[in-house]
Structure formats: structure tokens, C-alpha cells
Amino acid sequence: MSIARYSMIAAAVLALAACGKQQPAEQSAASSPASTPAAESSSGGGDTVKIGHAAPLTGNIAHLGKDNEYGVKMAIDEINEAGGADIGGKKIKFELVSEDDQADPKTATTVAQRFVDQKVVGVVGHLNSGTTIPASKLYSDAGIPQVSPSATAVAYTAQGFKTAFRVMANDAQQGKVLGEYAVQKLGAKKVAIVDDRTAYGQGLADEFEKAAKAAGAEIVKREFTTNQETDFNAILTSIKGAKPDLIFYGGMDAQAAPLKKQAKKLGIAAKVMGGDGTQTPEFIKLAGPDAEGQISSSPGQAKEDMPGGKEFLSKFKEKFGVEVQLYAPYCYDAVKVLVEAMKKAGSTDPAKYLPELAKTDYQGVTGKINFDEKGDVKNGAITIYTVKGGKWEVLEVVGGGAAQ
């Protein structure tokens, strides 16, 4: 090796090292152990193309991120095992490229840029609204279709990006149902609200507050925390003095469970309510006996009542050895919706199949999927649940129509 060539290589190594220092380790997105390395084929030219998936695969809601990843993997595996999808006269197979966005907005944009650079033909994700929204700008700029299976913040599709879609009801729909249910069905007159200040938690709490007020409730306290906090004693002590009939929490199960336990310990008699981020098996596991009586909603019908729910749940358990947590069926449908649009367009080129994606008319596991002009699913159902006997039990289904 010549001295000149050695010097060039050394300089390149130093440059790479310097770039690495500008990106803290905690902000770099690590690939999931279950993900497949990126293929060398281009986005439209080969027999195998890449679909990206992003969710928190580490941290306190990693159980939800893995649930999402499994849903995507299940759909891709089914298509590949059947010999691929017939697209433009070719049998196309798909490759899962799954990334850990750590539920962090900055990491999410790093992941999004990585997907753009790897020429994925579509993205299923992100899980959280707070990561989905900033990432969506990069996908829009690159013209890559994005279907979120779980980000419910209104702001995601309100940006006007033609690449942004979601396959479940949004927070305007969910918050309205929750607020009205709290007042009209549970008889709550005085309500306290706590949220985790994320795009999801605060957004859902805002919509709940709007609906509860319109239904006649008085908001006696509005507090906030973070999506990493587990000690709510100070907030709950303040709330206890206001004597609410109901406490609404906007956030995820990792915080909702200790909040519910601590409310019980403090002798707070108010009912506790949350959104889809709290309606998980993990919530019951974390809250234990104190989970009893929790009221939570989830966009869509109960998993068992979805058109393809029972079969999906059975196949999922057989394949992965675990129960569905929450969003896996929507992830599965998100993949199928992307692939159906490619079939109709006869191409995996995002620019060519994107118009077909907007015209989606697909019967999925979760129900009928059609998108409105913003990319939101039409007529999304909302199901209200309560914990009874250590299990989630359906109280009411609003909208969405009956299972087909």
C-alpha cells in the first residue's frame, strides 16, 4: 500500500470518526435484531424491494414497538411465502427493514433519512405521533408513501402531505367519543386531566377536554408530566383536593399503570380513563389488581370482533409465541394496503403507485379501509373497554359499522 493511499484512508477514517461525534449514541437508531439487512436492489428494478418499519424497539414501550414489527413481518412473510406479489408482470418479494426510533423525534428523523437513502418503497410507521409527524416531512420530500398504523394525532394528516396515510381513527374521533362517554355514560361532572406532553398524549387530552366541556363537564384540574415519569404522587395529591369524578390520562401504558396504582393508594375514588395507549395487556400486567375498573378506548373494533380478527390472533400467536398487544393488526393491514396499491399501479415505484394508494378500497383484517382527502381512514370505529376480572371487556363500540 502506498503512503499516499494510506494517508487518504486515514483521513477518511478520521472524517468518519468526527461525524460520529456529532451524533450522540442515544440519538442514533439501532436496527432491531429481528430486522433484515437492507438489500442491494433498487427501489423499482429488482425482484425484491424494501419496506421500512419504524417504532420504539427499546425503552419502556418496546413491547408495543415489537408488536408493530411483528404485524409488518407477518404480512411480508405471508406475501413472500406465497411466491411474491404479481406487480407489473413480475413476482415481487419484499424485504423488511426495521429500525428502532426509540420513541424520540430526533432519532425518528435519522431513521427516516436512512429509509430514504436505502430507497425503501414505502414505510409502515411510526408508532408514536411525536415521531410520525417529524418523520413525515422527510417521506413527503422524498415522495415515499407512509402508512401509520398507530399515530392518532390530528396534526399528522393535517399537514397536507400527499404521502401520509393512517389506517385507524384519529384523536379528534377518539377524544370526542371518550369525552362524551365520560359525561353522558359515566356521569362525570368534575373532571381532572393529566397528559404526558407528547404529540399523542397532549393531543388526545385536548380533544377529550373539548368534548367533555361541550357535554357539560367542569375541568377542575389540568396537569402534565413526561413520558418517562413513574411517580405521580404530587400531581395526584393536587388532583385529590379538587374531588373529581373522573381522571383522564393522555399517554401510554408505562405511565398510566403506575398512575392508576398510586391513585388507588391515595384513596382517590375517581374513575380513571385513558386512550389507546393504555388499552393493552401490559397495562394490566403493570397495574396488577389496581387495573380493575380502568376505562380505556382503542380505535377500531375489539381485536376478536375484527372481520379477520380471530384468525389473525391465532396465526400471530402461533408464529411469534406471544399475544397481540395493540396495533399489530393495523400494521399487517398497512403492508397489505401498500402492496395492493402497487398491484393496481403495476409498479413498486412510489411515484406511480401513490395515486392508487389514495384510492384504496380494501377489506382488511381490521375492517374496510378507504382514505379521505387528508389520508385518514373513513368511518373509523372507537371501542370503549374496562378492566374486569383482570381482563379487558368491551363496554361499547362507536362508529365503524359491524364486523363484516
Side-chain angles (χ1 to χ4, degrees):
M1 180 184 291
S2 67
I3 293 175
R5 188 175 180 189
Y6 178 85
S7 298
M8 290 173 66
I9 292 172
V13 170
L14 286 171
L16 286 170
C19 289
K21 289 178 182 177
Q22 293 172 8
Q23 180 66 35
E26 64 269 22
Q27 291 183 6
S28 65
S31 293
S32 159
S35 66
T36 308
E40 294 297 323
S41 61
S42 68
S43 62
D47 293 329
T48 301
V49 296
K50 299 168 239 176
I51 289 180
H53 161 263
L57 303 174
T58 55
N60 61 17
I61 56 170
H63 57 286
L64 297 179
K66 291 301 296 183
D67 189 57
N68 277 26
E69 183 183 69
Y70 287 157
V72 175
K73 179 173 172 54
M74 188 164 161
I76 289 177
D77 285 353
E78 280 186 11
I79 294 168
N80 290 344
E81 287 164 7
D86 292 312
I87 300 174
K90 292 182 178 180
K91 279 287 189 181
I92 302 296
K93 292 192 175 183
F94 296 91
E95 182 174 353
L96 170 61
V97 183
S98 189
E99 295 278 357
D100 179 8
D101 67 15
Q102 302 172 31
D104 175 68
K106 290 182 180 178
T107 303
T109 57
T110 300
V111 166
Q113 187 58 55
R114 188 172 298 150
F115 285 157
V116 171
D117 294 342
Q118 292 183 57
K119 301 187 184 335
V120 301
V121 299
V123 174
V124 177
H126 298 216
L127 189 154
N128 306 84
S129 295
T131 51
T132 301
I133 293 168
S136 65
K137 175 66 165 62
L138 280 81
Y139 302 134
S140 176
D141 290 346
I144 297 173
Q146 172 191 13
V147 181
S148 176
S150 50
T152 54
V154 175
Y156 167 50
T157 51
Q159 299 171 104
F161 297 149
K162 298 301 182 184
T163 50
F165 301 86
R166 69 174 129 218
V167 290
M168 64 155 45
N170 65 29
D171 285 338
Q173 296 164 298
Q174 185 175 197
K176 184 175 187 294
V177 168
L178 284 165
E180 291 176 351
Y181 193 89
V183 179
Q184 296 170 1
K185 299 295 178 71
L186 301 179
K189 295 180 180 178
K190 298 170 68 177
V191 174
I193 300 173
V194 184
D195 74 75
D196 66 1
R197 293 288 102 168
T198 64
Y200 163 69
Q202 184 177 353
L204 181 59
D206 288 346
E207 294 295 336
F208 169 85
E209 179 176 4
K210 190 189 308 180
K213 281 182 176 178
E218 176 190 359
I219 309 302
V220 294
K221 281 283 183 179
R222 180 76 195 251
E223 302 281 355
F224 63 90
T225 181
T226 74
N227 62 350
Q228 300 297 320
E229 186 58 77
T230 55
D231 183 355
F232 302 101
N233 281 291
I235 287 175
L236 289 169
T237 299
S238 173
I239 287 173
K240 184 178 181 180
K243 298 180 179 178
D245 304 309
L246 181 140
I247 300 170
F248 179 83
Y249 178 67
M252 307 301 286
D253 54 12
Q255 283 70 50
L259 183 145
K260 183 75 163 63
K261 287 174 69 70
Q262 290 160 33
K264 182 73 178 293
K265 189 174 182 180
L266 286 170
I268 296 175
K271 295 179 176 69
V272 181
M273 174 181 268
D276 54 299
T278 68
Q279 200 273 307
T280 66
E282 189 72 7
F283 172 86
I284 296 174
K285 178 182 174 184
L286 293 172
D290 295 331
E292 287 294 303
Q294 170 75 17
I295 299 161
S296 296
S297 66
S298 188
Q301 299 174 50
K303 294 185 286 290
E304 297 80 2
D305 296 332
M306 290 173 177
K310 290 180 181 177
E311 183 181 2
F312 179 86
L313 294 174
S314 176
K315 287 182 177 179
F316 188 95
K317 178 67 179 293
E318 183 180 352
K319 184 175 179 67
F320 301 111
V322 294
E323 303 287 349
V324 169
Q325 282 285 334
L326 192 56
Y327 303 121
Y330 296 94
C331 294
Y332 179 91
D333 276 356
V335 173
K336 294 300 184 79
V337 162
L338 285 167
V339 175
E340 284 300 309
M342 294 177 202
K343 287 180 180 178
K344 289 181 180 178
S347 176
T348 60
D349 181 347
K352 293 180 180 177
Y353 84 79
L354 182 59
E356 293 297 332
L357 185 58
K359 295 185 287 186
T360 290
D361 184 8
Y362 181 73
Q363 180 62 48
V365 165
T366 59
K368 191 72 168 176
I369 299 173
N370 305 100
F371 298 119
D372 65 15
E373 65 281 358
K374 291 183 179 179
D376 285 315
V377 71
K378 293 180 180 178
N379 195 32
I382 305 293
T383 301
I384 306 290
Y385 301 82
T386 189
V387 178
K388 187 174 181 180
K391 294 180 180 180
W392 288 107
E393 184 175 287
V394 175
L395 290 173
E396 186 172 332
V397 180
V398 181
Q404 299 177 28

